[in-house]
């Protein structure tokens, strides 16, 4: 058990304490005389219970079409929940994401059909196991379009330790994805070589990189795309 700290101390000689695991204690302290007439303190526990420290006040949820699915993004007003799940559907939504860490703020639904219309909810579970559902989003239609070269916004941005970079190729071809600083120096190459058509995702461990602005440069045989990203500390 860790150190205790006082929450309040008031009437009837009762004091309230929380330990480092957020367990709530209420006790009464009395002095007890022993056979040799010495006085010893005696603690009488009145109640012991767990406190619920998670308070999700509201959730802002949105869905947008991406090249190979629908991207759900959300922000939480209040405490971070223990876990979240993405649900899809209107009258009887079903979970499509599985359980995600409570700090997660976006999720890509790839199990959608071009031309289909989808509605989403977010389900948040607090530390006490209480579940609250937020939503729904407005209906989002998956566009029927030809896949094209795309470089997605890096995530997270700003980044401090690691950043994910995703890109989509319209056809199988040779590709190079590199990181440059603002002086035009190549910092690292994240991907280089022949890749199949479709979506690809790579990670950059930027923990050792200096704080500042960087340029992601995606180059194929006939096109080039760039994105700016920030490394913060």
């Amino acid at each position: 058990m860790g150190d205790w700290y006082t929450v309040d101390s008031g009437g009837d000689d009762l004091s309230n304490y929380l330990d480092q695991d957020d367990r709530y204690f209420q006790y009464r302290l009395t002095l007890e005389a022993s056979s040799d007439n010495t006085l010893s303190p005696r603690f009488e526990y009145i109640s012991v219970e767990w406190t619920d420290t998670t308070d999700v006040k509201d959730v802002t949820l949105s869905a947008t079409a991406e090249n190979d699915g629908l991207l759900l993004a959300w922000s939480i007003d209040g405490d971070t929940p223990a876990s979240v799940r993405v649900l899809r559907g209107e009258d009887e939504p079903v979970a499509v994401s599985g359980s995600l860490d409570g700090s997660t703020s976006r999720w890509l639904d790839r199990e959608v059909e071009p031309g289909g219309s989808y509605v989403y909810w977010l389900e948040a579970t607090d530390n006490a196991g209480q579940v609250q559902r937020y939503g729904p989003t407005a209906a989002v239609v998956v566009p029927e379009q030809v896949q094209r070269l795309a470089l997605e916004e890096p995530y997270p941005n700003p980044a401090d330790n690691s950043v994910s970079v995703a890109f989509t190729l319209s056809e199988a071809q040779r590709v190079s994805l590199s990181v440059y600083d603002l002086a035009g120096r190549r910092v690292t190459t994240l991907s280089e070589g022949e890749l199949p058509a479709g979506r690809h995702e790579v990670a950059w461990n930027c923990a050792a990189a200096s704080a500042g602005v960087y340029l992601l440069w995606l180059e194929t045989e006939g096109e080039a795309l760039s994105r700016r990203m920030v490394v913060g500390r």
Side-chain angles (χ1 to χ4, degrees), residues 61-74 84-88 95-98 100 104-113 118 120-122 140 142-143 147 150 152-153 155 164-168 198-201:
L61 177 65
S62 64
T64 55
E66 294 291 327
N67 285 318
D68 59 347
L70 295 179
L71 181 64
L72 283 297
W74 58 88
V84 294
R85 291 196 308 172
V86 175
L87 287 75
R88 186 174 64 202
V96 291
S97 70
L100 304 172
T104 306
S105 61
R106 67 178 194 171
W107 182 80
L108 181 65
D109 186 4
R110 294 188 176 91
E111 301 300 320
V112 292
E113 297 293 333
Y118 299 90
Y120 293 91
W121 305 72
L122 188 73
V140 182
V142 181
Q147 203 169 51
E152 297 177 19
E153 180 76 15
Y155 178 80
S164 295
V165 183
F167 58 93
T168 302
R199 187 176 186 271
H200 305 273
E201 187 168 345

Side-chain angles (χ1 to χ4, degrees), residues 24-216:
Y24 177 90
F25 292 85
Q26 187 180 65
Y27 70 89
R28 179 183 289 109
L29 174 63
T30 59
L31 295 178
E32 188 174 69
S34 60
S35 58
D36 59 359
N37 293 323
T38 59
L39 296 177
S40 301
R42 183 172 69 86
F43 290 95
E44 179 185 359
Y45 289 95
I46 308 302
S47 64
V48 180
E49 63 184 45
W50 290 97
T51 60
D52 177 19
T53 60
T54 302
D55 182 18
V56 177
K57 295 180 175 61
D58 195 17
V59 172
T60 301
L61 177 65
S62 64
T64 55
E66 294 291 327
N67 285 318
D68 59 347
L70 295 179
L71 181 64
L72 283 297
W74 58 88
S75 60
I76 295 175
D77 179 18
D79 297 334
T80 301
S83 64
V84 294
R85 291 196 308 172
V86 175
L87 287 75
R88 186 174 64 202
E90 294 189 23
D91 298 331
E92 297 183 4
V94 297
V96 291
S97 70
S99 181
L100 304 172
D101 185 86
S103 61
T104 306
S105 61
R106 67 178 194 171
W107 182 80
L108 181 65
D109 186 4
R110 294 188 176 91
E111 301 300 320
V112 292
E113 297 293 333
S117 178
Y118 299 90
V119 169
Y120 293 91
W121 305 72
L122 188 73
E123 191 176 81
T125 302
D126 66 20
N127 293 330
Q130 299 295 318
V131 178
Q132 184 67 40
R133 186 175 296 176
Y134 301 89
T137 64
V140 182
V141 177
V142 181
E144 296 184 5
Q145 61 183 20
V146 178
Q147 203 169 51
R148 66 184 187 278
L149 180 68
L151 177 60
E152 297 177 19
E153 180 76 15
Y155 178 80
N157 190 15
D160 54 3
N161 291 314
S162 180
V163 59
S164 295
V165 183
F167 58 93
T168 302
L169 301 178
S170 58
E171 59 184 0
Q173 57 189 304
R174 185 172 181 81
V175 64
S176 174
L177 176 63
S178 300
V179 180
Y180 290 84
D181 62 21
L182 292 186
R185 296 182 293 256
R186 180 181 294 187
V187 176
T188 186
T189 298
L190 303 179
S191 180
E192 188 165 26
E194 192 79 17
L195 290 176
R199 187 176 186 271
H200 305 273
E201 187 168 345
V202 296
W204 177 34
N205 184 352
C206 57
S210 301
V213 179
Y214 293 83
L215 185 68
L216 296 167

